Amino acid sequence: ISDILPDKNGLWVGTEYGLDFYETETNTFTHYRASSTSSNSISSNSITAIFKDSRGTLWVGTTNAGLNAYNPETGIYQVYKYRENDETSLSHNRVLSIQEGKNGDLWVGTANGLNRFELAGKYFTRFMSSKDDPDSIGGNLIYTIYKDHSGGLWVGTNNGLDRYDKQTKKFIHHRH
């Protein structure tokens, strides 16, 4: 089990075998699996992260097939993946963490950078580590993202803890 997300009727559970929903009232599981014969299924059975945003969309990160937006009411999936030579796509198909920003945009941590997903325009802005820019994010492997009570964004990377300052658009590094 890679992630668990409580929901009003039970638990979303991510595993290396797929996405499951455990309904507490009936003590039953519903399984959501990738299908090569259906264009409306989750993109992969190897789940790494689960997050439900303020609008009710369930976001599911995978090991190798990008980010899925699932609407439980309609049963429709939208899949976002890395596309070579497209700077507005996801920076990597291995999604490790997901968090909603203060303004409702989505922050997605991958195996190659931090991404802000602009919901209105349906595009990603990438934040990558650069040795030439001391204000860039500290590392490109993004393990976890946390939004604090004031809406500040904290990012756990392979090179320490960073806080993103939205005013200056710089990362403040906190290292041992």
Side-chain angles (χ1 to χ4, degrees):
I1 294 176
S2 56
D3 205 359
I4 297 173
L5 178 70
D7 203 333
K8 62 182 175 184
N9 297 322
L11 295 171
W12 288 100
V13 181
T15 74
E16 63 184 88
Y17 303 106
L19 178 67
D20 300 290
F21 184 75
Y22 173 71
E23 191 172 338
T24 52
E25 190 173 302
T26 61
N27 195 31
T28 58
F29 281 91
T30 302
H31 309 291
Y32 300 85
R33 299 295 183 260
S35 170
S36 59
T37 60
S38 172
S39 61
N40 187 39
S41 74
I42 198 160
S43 63
S44 170
N45 287 329
S46 186
I47 309 303
T48 52
I50 310 168
F51 181 80
K52 192 169 194 176
D53 70 18
S54 60
R55 291 166 298 285
T57 301
L58 187 71
W59 296 90
V60 182
T62 67
T63 300
N64 57 2
L67 179 67
N68 295 261
Y70 176 65
N71 183 329
E73 291 182 16
T74 64
I76 295 175
Y77 289 89
Q78 174 70 46
V79 179
Y80 301 94
K81 293 185 177 182
Y82 166 76
R83 291 184 306 273
E84 194 171 351
N85 300 318
D86 183 355
E87 292 294 317
T88 65
S89 73
L90 193 63
S91 64
H92 197 277
N93 282 330
R94 183 174 180 207
V95 174
L96 300 171
S97 53
I98 308 165
Q99 182 61 248
E100 188 171 9
K102 190 173 183 178
N103 63 353
D105 289 340
L106 207 65
W107 290 89
V108 182
T110 73
N112 189 34
L114 178 67
N115 300 258
R116 184 177 60 226
F117 183 58
E118 310 286 344
L119 291 172
K122 302 283 187 206
Y123 66 90
F124 291 89
T125 301
R126 298 175 182 178
F127 296 85
M128 307 295 283
S129 180
S130 171
K131 292 180 182 185
D132 298 330
D133 182 2
D135 297 322
S136 70
I137 195 163
N140 283 330
L141 186 55
I142 311 301
Y143 291 111
T144 189
I145 306 168
Y146 172 72
K147 180 176 71 173
D148 66 24
H149 66 279
S150 66
L153 198 69
W154 294 83
V155 184
T157 78
N158 60 311
N159 198 21
L161 178 66
D162 289 354
R163 185 175 60 82
Y164 181 63
D165 185 325
K166 287 192 279 187
Q167 304 299 338
T168 63
K169 300 192 183 321
K170 296 178 180 180
F171 287 90
I172 295 122
H173 310 293
H174 302 273
R175 295 198 179 98
H176 184 282

